[in-house]
Amino acid sequence: MAAASNLWTGRLRYTPLINIIIFIFAIAVFGAAASYANAAIKTPMDEQALIYMRPRPSNGKIIVYALFMPFFTVLHSLADLALHFYLTLHPLYALVVAAVYSIGWLVQWSIWMNCEVSAIGFDNAGTGGTCFQVNLKHAPGSTVPQKSSEAVVNARVGLGAVVLALYVAYAVVAALAVVRKRRGGKV
């Protein structure tokens, strides 16, 4: 697969492959996140086990919590592919955006790990009540809301880690392209 952009030559011309893989995994994370958000919205509050006396989060907050990074990752990967094939994706732009998305995914993945996979999010001292899942009904011995499944949560967190790793790889490739461009003109 040869890239159309003349800014990316040599082995770096395969950079769109990283974007295509990011897009595929972002769609998968988006699907798992949408399933989780739907389940979290439908799960009732556990009135007898209220750890933090807080009202139920709005549906909008649950959707933003679950879908923010997956949604914007899908949009970004499509935009980068379009820019690349229309000859305008500059390596410096790719580096900056990949670094920002790497940080965004690191933060998102850390929150998901803390609130859903790890029991720390369910400890009174752990998060200070930042995880809304604490007050939802759960299956006995589980940190997953009653209407969701462990498989959906684990898939979303695992795929999120893959997208994070792909963005780090994309940032490294873009950094190589920037260095190469500064040394000799074309990448």
Side-chain angles (χ1 to χ4, degrees), residues 28-43 56 59 61-67 108 111-112 114-117 122 131-134 136-138 142-157:
V29 173
F30 186 83
S35 174
Y36 178 84
N38 184 38
I41 287 169
K42 291 179 179 177
T43 302
R56 178 180 182 76
N59 292 350
K61 286 182 182 177
I62 293 173
I63 289 170
V64 168
Y65 167 82
L67 296 172
Q108 182 71 69
I111 292 169
W112 286 350
N114 184 47
C115 290
E116 295 164 32
V117 176
F122 288 81
C131 300
F132 71 86
Q133 297 90 333
V134 173
L136 298 179
K137 285 193 177 188
H138 296 85
S142 174
T143 59
V144 177
Q146 195 175 46
K147 303 246 182 209
S148 188
S149 73
E150 294 276 345
V152 169
V153 169
N154 292 336
R156 184 169 60 115
V157 172

Side-chain angles (χ1 to χ4, degrees), residues 26-132:
I27 291 290
V29 173
F30 186 83
S35 174
Y36 178 84
N38 184 38
I41 287 169
K42 291 179 179 177
T43 302
M45 295 286 282
D46 190 354
E47 303 297 336
Q48 290 148 356
L50 281 177
I51 297 172
Y52 302 103
M53 299 306 272
R54 294 186 310 168
R56 178 180 182 76
S58 69
N59 292 350
K61 286 182 182 177
I62 293 173
I63 289 170
V64 168
Y65 167 82
L67 296 172
F68 184 82
M69 283 306 295
F71 176 76
F72 284 105
T73 299
V74 169
L75 292 181
H76 166 254
S77 59
L78 285 175
D80 266 13
L81 283 169
L83 288 173
H84 191 89
F85 287 108
Y86 285 106
L87 308 176
T88 58
L89 180 63
H90 195 278
L92 186 59
Y93 160 82
L95 173 61
V96 170
V97 173
V100 168
Y101 271 81
S102 295
I103 293 168
W105 270 105
L106 179 64
V107 169
Q108 182 71 69
W109 185 76
S110 299
I111 292 169
W112 286 350
M113 283 293 291
N114 184 47
C115 290
E116 295 164 32
V117 176
S118 163
I120 294 172
F122 288 81
D123 180 11
N124 287 345
T127 63
T130 56
C131 300
F132 71 86

